[in-house]
Amino acid sequence: MTPPDPSRSTRARASKAVRKQHQELCAELNRHSYLYHIEARPEVSDPEYDELFRRLQAVERDFPELVGPESPTQRVGSEPLDKLSTVEHVAPMLSLDSTQDEEEVLRFHDRVQKALGRGMAPVYILEPKLDGASIELVYERGVLVRAVTRGNGLAGEDVTANVRTIPTVPLRLRTEHRPAPTSLALRGEVIMYISDFQDFNAGLVEAGAEPYASPRNSAAGAVRQLDSAITASRKLDVIVYDILAVEGATFPADSAGVQAIREWGLKVPERAQIVASGEEILEYHRTFSDARDGLDYEIDGVVIKLDDLAARAAMGSTSHHPRWALAYKFPPRQEVTLIEKIDVQVGRTGVLTPVALLRPVVVGGVRVSRATLHNREELKRKDLREGDMVRIQRAGDVIPQVVEVVEPGDDRPPPFEMPGECPACGTPVVEEGPRTVCPNRFGCPAQLKGRIVHFGARSALDIEGLGEETANLLVDRGLVRGLAGLFEVEPQQLMELEGFAEKSATALVDAIRAKKTPELGRFLIALGIPEVGVTVARDLARHFGSLERIRSTTREEFETVPGIGPRMSEAITGFFADERNARALDALLAHGIEPLETDPAPPKLPELGAAVFTGTLPVARVVAESAWRRLGGTTTASVSKKTTFVVAGEGAGSKLAKAEKLGVEVLDFDRFVERLREHGGDLLEG
Ligand code: IVH
């Protein structure tokens, strides 16, 4: 934001008339920007717009106190940041369950029908599934206050300054058609149009820089810049498809929410459709599948969502995805190319993976030059050999895969055999099922490289600059012999390596040392304990609170944590029981690494009591019941002395009578909603 000019501090404050002029200029510019960017029907020419903009700048130069965050002059211009900070989402940003299978879509439709019960036919809203970077936008009293990447779904990176530069994101909601709600959290997708992506990549190549792999990667990269001027120089768009949370407005259905989003001046998905049958869902999918190649943006399927919000609440969500929605994906894009060579890679867990080095080919807009061949069995089954022409496919972010041989090469070499020794350390390999593994856990340089990359990965300690190339250098030059060694590396040593100057060397050393007090959950991920991914690590951290407790916990005790079964508990205790792991961990602690203790799990919700619902309620009974159960209450079908209260709707009969006879409390529906709120709940989730 433009800092106020101190030399002008003595000037008179803006008069009422000036304020009014400022407001009108802002509104006028916002309106033209909306007409140009969202509706694509500008009413003024570019020079006319620029003239208005200069007038606004002139007013703000004279009266800096008028400059607010929602002024059109304030889209670009905040100072570059040192790092992006992490912020929690207003509500969890869940994933979507997905399928490519028509039958499964119809089964989903059946499930929904069953869940809603008789008399409530499901109505769906269908939308294209945009292949970009998911983003949360938060508006307080109509003003954009925050934009956050999806991150792990619960918290992401604060990219407000960057998102402010995207012209289709209003800094203030339009209120011509409806007032702005007190607070609003939206979910959408940042995308880069394919044509803009191609131009942008061509420019990178010309400048000798590495091109981006896909429009999605380049959109994601652009929103995560530290300098918002860079984001501003990329052409991005934001399409919004969901209200994550809202205060001060209610909507009966998603379609009503989307209509509101549109009226508030944001872009919503094109060609959304409301349907009520399985056949219409399949038809929609077919239509978009045909239209896909003609679109200037990437879509990877269509999204099917129940429209009715009360019905959604009744169906609920798993920790990962809502039960009321499904992504119906397109088959992955495929191309044919040559296997030039088959190579073997060793990962951090010692697994040897055969990799096809391919003649580079563009698959659905992405240049592909390698593909994983998974394991020995798969290689044998598909009988892939060097010199073969093969069909490869790419699905979203997933590593490209080889589907089949299309044409075997001339003079085929004999079938590829996995090496008998680890290509990185020479240790004889062992076969574990279909996998080939190097057992030299602690001596194999390839495994150490993998562990280092994993240690610094985003979901682990998030160490900027500790990527594959650096890990390779650190290990190959003998600078690091174990994870703890990372904390001993000095800038001078790094400066002797290719690609490091004083600044980058100091930055990496600082980035490593800045992570000496990691959150416990992240630290657990970083250790690379088998079976322990992001969710389990978080659960363990929450449940046990400290590393010491986790280290000394028994298998049986681990199994008392919800979601942790025998296999996982064995993997965890096995990890800590291994002498060498224990030594590596102690070495980290000896270097002053102190995982931050987290509060042990909050006490379980107190039992709120048993409720019985009877009569006709203003919402589906399941909605009321699940609202009570979400808070920790129970619901039963019949009234007894154990019943805490009965919610009686219109026409309540015998159950009401029985409650009165037993002296059980009776609530009308409004009182019930009040009771929900007293306990911090509400009729609808979130
Ligand atoms: S609805 C909880 N609608 O797809 C469900 N998602 O794999 C809310 N996506 O991360 C999401 N287009 O970012 C929805 N029209 C659309 C979408 C969409 C793209 C993304 C979303 C999510 C991913 C799921």
Side-chain angles (χ1 to χ4, degrees):
M1 235 167 275
T2 324
D5 181 346
S7 67
R8 291 166 189 266
S9 57
T10 51
R11 178 198 328 283
R13 286 172 56 83
S15 65
K16 243 187 174 161
V18 171
R19 280 176 195 279
K20 185 153 172 274
Q21 183 197 15
H22 179 262
Q23 237 171 34
E24 281 169 1
L25 279 168
C26 286
E28 190 67 1
L29 281 159
N30 282 337
R31 194 173 78 87
H32 290 310
S33 168
Y34 170 80
L35 288 171
Y36 180 87
H37 291 288
I38 309 261
E39 302 231 325
R41 49 176 189 95
E43 284 177 2
V44 293
S45 66
D46 289 1
E48 282 169 310
Y49 181 90
D50 293 344
E51 173 55 29
L52 282 172
F53 196 84
R54 277 193 295 273
R55 275 170 54 196
L56 178 64
Q57 281 178 315
V59 174
E60 291 185 347
R61 207 175 316 117
D62 290 342
F63 301 97
E65 77 264 28
L66 295 181
V67 181
E70 77 270 28
S71 165
T73 60
Q74 301 303 308
R75 280 202 180 263
V76 194
S78 48
E79 290 291 308
L81 306 168
D82 293 329
K83 70 184 275 263
L84 299 174
S85 57
T86 303
V87 276
E88 273 187 33
H89 295 302
V90 171
M93 289 174 82
L94 298 177
S95 282
L96 282 175
D97 199 8
S98 76
T99 183
Q100 276 181 49
D101 181 11
E102 178 173 316
E103 297 290 319
E104 219 171 292
V105 173
L106 297 175
R107 279 200 293 279
F108 164 78
H109 176 44
D110 277 349
R111 268 202 309 281
V112 175
Q113 270 176 322
K114 285 214 183 79
L116 298 195
R118 254 178 272 282
M120 249 179 112
V123 172
Y124 302 102
I125 178 163
L126 306 180
E127 284 167 2
K129 184 170 182 305
L130 304 155
D131 196 8
S134 209
I135 191 103
E136 174 191 44
L137 304 175
V138 183
Y139 287 88
E140 298 287 355
R141 300 186 191 285
V143 177
L144 177 70
V145 293
R146 207 157 60 239
V148 189
T149 62
R150 176 166 185 276
N152 62 9
L154 297 177
E157 285 174 318
D158 184 338
V159 290
T160 314
N162 296 339
V163 170
R164 289 173 62 88
T165 68
I166 303 174
T168 47
V169 175
L171 299 179
R172 176 184 275 286
L173 298 176
R174 280 167 69 79
T175 48
E176 217 169 285
H177 304 290
R178 67 169 72 224
T182 334
S183 107
L184 176 70
L186 300 172
R187 175 173 185 172
E189 207 79 359
V190 183
I191 61 166
M192 188 181 265
Y193 289 99
I194 296 171
S195 50
D196 291 329
F197 168 72
Q198 284 165 345
D199 290 349
F200 172 56
N201 253 0
L204 287 178
V205 172
E206 218 164 273
E210 189 72 15
Y212 275 93
S214 68
R216 190 246 298 262
N217 286 357
S218 106
V223 277
R224 297 189 58 241
Q225 293 294 321
L226 294 174
D227 182 356
S228 62
I230 297 179
T231 314
S233 72
R234 313 262 165 94
K235 289 190 182 154
L236 301 172
D237 204 348
V238 173
I239 317 261
V240 177
Y241 44 74
D242 190 38
I243 296 182
L244 270 173
V246 57
E247 269 170 42
T250 49
F251 302 100
D254 189 54
S255 48
V258 173
Q259 174 63 20
I261 295 172
R262 185 203 305 274
E263 289 175 1
W264 283 321
L266 294 119
K267 252 196 200 177
V268 296
E270 286 184 323
R271 303 197 232 174
Q273 206 167 304
I274 304 286
V275 305
S277 73
E279 184 41 50
E280 286 168 297
I281 296 176
L282 305 184
E283 175 62 32
Y284 187 80
H285 182 261
R286 272 194 293 275
T287 310
F288 255 108
S289 176
D290 293 344
R292 184 184 190 191
D293 285 335
L295 297 175
D296 194 23
Y297 51 90
E298 293 268 20
I299 57 173
D300 56 352
V302 298
V303 184
I304 312 161
K305 300 181 251 192
L306 253 184
D307 195 31
D308 186 272
L309 298 186
R312 283 189 184 184
M315 287 196 73
S317 303
T318 70
S319 64
H320 170 260
H321 63 260
R323 294 199 182 85
W324 42 260
L326 184 67
Y328 185 8
K329 301 249 256 185
F330 297 137
R333 296 195 141 128
Q334 302 187 325
E335 289 296 337
V336 171
T337 190
L338 172 77
I339 298 190
E340 292 181 334
K341 190 171 180 316
I342 297 178
D343 213 4
V344 174
Q345 277 179 358
V346 186
R348 77 178 159 91
T349 57
V351 175
L352 272 60
T353 308
V355 177
L357 306 184
L358 305 166
R359 178 190 288 161
V361 62
V362 175
V363 189
V366 174
R367 190 168 170 279
V368 172
S369 56
R370 326 155 51 84
T372 170
L373 302 175
H374 297 293
N375 56 48
R376 148 172 57 75
E377 303 276 308
E378 166 121 347
L379 198 55
K380 202 157 115 197
R381 191 168 56 244
K382 293 183 177 162
D383 190 21
L384 307 169
R385 306 193 201 174
E386 290 177 358
D388 289 350
M389 291 301 287
V390 291
R391 187 181 317 285
I392 60 166
Q393 71 177 21
R394 183 182 68 86
D397 235 352
V398 182
I399 306 158
Q401 300 171 3
V402 177
V403 185
E404 60 185 356
V405 175
V406 179
E407 199 189 314
D410 303 332
D411 300 327
R412 284 183 110 198
F416 182 82
E417 295 280 345
M418 291 295 273
E421 282 118 41
C422 171
C425 70
T427 306
V429 296
V430 290
E431 291 187 356
E432 290 179 3
R435 302 191 311 178
T436 310
V437 181
C438 163
N440 185 16
R441 280 287 286 140
F442 287 83
C444 175
Q447 296 186 47
L448 177 57
K449 289 171 185 172
R451 277 206 295 279
I452 291 175
V453 173
H454 179 80
F455 193 72
R458 271 238 276 155
S459 59
L461 294 200
D462 194 13
I463 300 173
E464 176 102 22
L466 191 58
E468 200 175 315
E469 243 171 88
T470 305
N472 290 350
L473 283 172
L474 292 175
V475 175
D476 291 341
R477 302 299 172 82
L479 290 184
V480 173
R481 297 200 165 76
L483 290 177
L486 285 171
F487 293 89
E488 286 172 11
V489 175
E490 296 291 341
Q492 271 69 26
Q493 297 173 302
L494 290 176
M495 279 161 65
E496 287 164 21
L497 309 178
E498 301 89 84
F500 277 97
E502 187 175 345
K503 205 167 149 205
S504 50
T506 320
L508 178 58
V509 168
D510 289 348
I512 294 171
R513 297 188 184 173
K515 295 299 160 80
K516 281 196 165 180
T517 48
E519 285 162 34
L520 179 56
R522 284 178 171 276
F523 186 67
L524 292 174
I525 299 170
L527 290 179
I529 307 169
E531 309 278 333
V532 176
V534 177
T535 314
V536 176
R538 206 173 48 218
D539 290 350
L540 288 174
R542 247 195 238 138
H543 192 92
F544 295 103
S546 77
L547 182 65
E548 273 325 300
R549 277 211 58 201
I550 293 174
R551 280 184 95 168
S552 58
T553 294
T554 62
R555 269 176 68 171
E556 292 72 27
E557 246 182 297
F558 275 124
E559 283 179 39
T560 63
V561 182
I564 297 193
R567 202 172 111 161
M568 244 181 230
S569 52
E570 185 173 342
I572 302 166
T573 42
F575 177 88
F576 288 114
D578 186 318
E579 268 292 301
R580 293 162 306 178
N581 284 329
R583 240 180 286 136
L585 186 51
D586 287 335
L588 280 169
L589 301 180
H591 278 76
I593 317 301
E594 272 183 67
L596 291 181
E597 315 241 322
T598 27
D599 287 340
K604 268 223 161 311
L605 286 174
E607 166 75 57
L608 281 186
V612 173
F613 296 81
T614 180
T616 310
L617 304 173
V619 298
R621 187 171 299 170
V622 277
V623 172
E625 288 175 344
S626 40
W628 185 242
R629 282 200 297 261
R630 272 201 302 279
L631 288 176
T634 56
T635 57
T636 56
S638 55
V639 181
S640 73
K641 272 189 293 197
K642 290 195 195 137
T643 306
T644 317
F645 60 82
V646 170
V647 180
E650 248 173 71
S654 61
K655 289 185 196 175
L656 174 57
K658 183 153 183 206
E660 280 166 352
K661 197 171 127 209
L662 294 174
V664 171
E665 186 182 8
V666 177
L667 306 178
D668 65 12
F669 185 74
D670 289 345
R671 268 295 296 142
F672 167 66
V673 175
E674 271 173 37
R675 173 118 356 146
L676 280 174
R677 294 191 178 139
E678 282 160 17
H679 291 291
D682 213 330
L683 214 46
L684 297 182
E685 215 167 347

